[in-house]
């Protein structure tokens, strides 16, 4: 599933190519891919509007339009935004297609169909979109140990579960939660509110490091993630615990384990991450 680094990689690529482009028209092939408004209004309202900037908030890519509106993309489980030239072979699971004014097209390709597109003209009044309800951005300077400690204080949920809660910290999913907890040497089942100041400090650093490292590698491709040109990321080679259960821990040589926590597969080293 695309998490912050995969969305950031996409946003950085699109930022070089999309600002200034006008969206001539849009075809929606699967109505439910449109999160807001309905598919018909989406297609008619996006017509002829120009992209000014490309940003990210959590796992959302935000295309700010010149007239003040915002087109948001959430990639769900398997969604990729692909920039293609005319005549390039069709992708397999195209759910929506944007025709741009330079003749190229942007395709939302999504086999599992959990991706969503939103078009909002007035974020404050029209509709309260999900990206306005997210927690702290882990790459912002406001993401300090004190901020993280404040957000975890009093929470009884397992720390792994708390990290996946987008209202606490935005953008972390299953892969980077497991990787960050391993680096910070914190057991995923620890109750979030019981972490010491030192542990929270280690966790904050670990989160920043795993996310920045993954962005450098252009994301992690586990099954389906691709960048805007359809290429895979490279971070899967850096993973320390994710999907390494049964293999030796790189730090202590013990066996990496997998448990299910909050219905999510969770990977950790019982030797390095004690309860
Ligand atoms: Zn270990």
């Amino acid at each position: 599933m695309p998490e912050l680094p995969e969305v950031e990689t996409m946003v950085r690529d699109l930022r070089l190519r999309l600002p200034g482009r006008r969206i001539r028209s849009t075809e929606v092939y699967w109505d439910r891919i449109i999160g807001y408004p309905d598919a018909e209004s989406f297609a008619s309202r996006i017509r002829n509007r120009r992209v000014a900037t490309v940003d990210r908030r959590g796992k959302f890519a935000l295309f700010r339009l010149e007239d003040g509106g915002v087109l948001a993309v959430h990639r769900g489980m398997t969604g990729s935004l692909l920039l293609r030239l005319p005549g390039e072979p069709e992708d397999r699971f195209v759910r929506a297609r944007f025709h741009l004014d330079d003749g190229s097209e942007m395709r939302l390709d999504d086999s599992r169909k959990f991706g969503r597109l939103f078009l909002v003209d007035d974020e404050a009044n029209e509709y309260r979109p999900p990206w306005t309800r997210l927690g702290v951005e882990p790459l912002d300077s406001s993401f300090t140990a004190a901020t993280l400690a404040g957000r975890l204080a009093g929470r009884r949920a397992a720390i792994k579960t708390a990290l996946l809660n987008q209202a606490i910290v935005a953008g972390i999913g299953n892969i980077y939660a497991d990787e960050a907890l391993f680096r910070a040497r914190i057991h995923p089942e620890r109750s979030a509110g019981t972490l010491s100041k030192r542990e929270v400090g280690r966790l904050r650093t670990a989160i920043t490091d795993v996310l920045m490292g993954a962005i450098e590698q252009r994301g992690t491709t586990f099954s389906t993630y691709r960048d805007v040109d359809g290429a895979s990321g490279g971070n899967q080679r850096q993973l320390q615990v994710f999907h390494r259960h049964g293999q030796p821990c790189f730090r202590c040589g013990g066996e990496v384990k997998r448990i299910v926590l909050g219905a999510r597969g969770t990977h950790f080293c019982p030797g390095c991450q004690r309860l």
Side-chain angles (χ1 to χ4, degrees):
M1 181 194 276
E3 304 180 28
L4 186 154
E6 291 74 40
V7 180
E8 180 67 21
T9 300
M10 174 182 93
V11 161
R12 289 181 183 187
D13 286 348
L14 290 175
R15 203 175 271 152
L16 300 174
R17 291 153 73 171
L18 223 49
R21 292 273 73 81
R22 195 180 288 280
I23 297 167
R24 289 270 185 239
S25 61
T26 302
E27 285 143 33
V28 177
Y29 306 107
W30 171 252
D31 283 3
R32 280 160 55 198
I33 215 88
I34 307 299
Y36 185 87
D38 59 85
E40 208 177 306
S41 320
F42 179 92
S44 68
R45 279 169 57 178
I46 196 75
R47 211 182 178 82
N48 281 324
R49 295 171 78 175
R50 196 187 289 274
V51 176
T53 59
V54 186
D55 282 314
R56 182 191 55 73
R57 181 77 175 94
K59 300 179 197 172
F60 290 86
L62 303 177
F63 303 84
R64 304 259 170 214
L65 305 173
E66 213 172 51
D67 56 23
V70 57
L71 165 65
V73 181
H74 191 286
R75 302 169 60 168
M77 302 273 289
T78 55
S80 288
L81 272 184
L82 302 163
L83 279 180
R84 300 296 198 197
L85 294 169
E88 278 194 80
E90 182 64 322
D91 294 286
R92 262 183 90 187
F93 304 106
V94 179
R95 308 301 178 193
R97 186 191 318 275
F98 297 86
H99 296 278
L100 306 177
D101 62 352
D102 62 352
S104 66
E105 56 181 63
M106 184 167 71
R107 303 170 183 168
L108 175 63
D109 184 87
D110 186 359
S111 60
R112 303 274 307 267
K113 302 195 266 200
F114 289 106
R116 289 292 177 269
L117 297 166
F118 303 82
L119 177 62
V120 180
D121 284 304
D122 180 352
E123 282 171 286
N125 296 313
E126 180 186 342
Y127 158 75
R128 218 175 142 230
W131 59 90
T132 63
R133 302 191 294 257
L134 296 173
V136 62
E137 263 305 318
L139 302 185
D140 265 16
S141 54
S142 60
F143 184 57
T144 60
T147 308
L148 182 58
R151 286 176 175 265
L152 297 178
R155 287 188 190 266
R156 294 225 287 260
I159 183 63
K160 163 77 186 278
T161 307
L163 289 181
L164 296 181
N165 180 345
Q166 300 298 297
I168 299 177
V169 181
I172 301 175
N174 212 33
I175 297 176
Y176 301 108
D178 284 359
E179 292 294 309
L181 288 168
F182 172 75
R183 279 201 193 210
R185 305 192 305 277
I186 295 168
H187 194 289
E189 289 181 295
R190 279 283 299 284
S191 173
T194 66
L195 299 190
S196 69
K197 207 172 161 184
R198 246 174 121 156
E199 287 172 319
V200 173
R202 288 208 307 264
L203 183 56
R204 192 218 63 94
T205 307
I207 290 170
T208 310
D209 288 352
V210 296
L211 295 176
M212 297 291 281
I215 292 168
E216 263 170 46
Q217 299 290 325
R218 298 184 57 79
T220 301
T221 297
F222 228 83
S223 49
T224 55
Y225 160 73
R226 288 174 294 157
D227 69 15
V228 298
D229 296 310
S232 296
N235 193 63
Q236 54 282 2
R237 294 186 289 270
Q238 318 290 324
L239 298 175
Q240 302 288 301
V241 285
F242 189 75
H243 273 229
R244 289 198 63 249
H245 45 290
Q247 297 176 51
C249 169
F250 292 129
R251 189 190 283 142
C252 73
E255 189 184 326
V256 175
K257 296 281 185 205
R258 179 182 186 277
I259 56 170
V260 176
L261 183 54
R264 308 297 300 275
T266 295
H267 313 80
F268 70 105
C269 171
C272 296
Q273 297 162 269
R274 294 181 186 277
L275 197 55

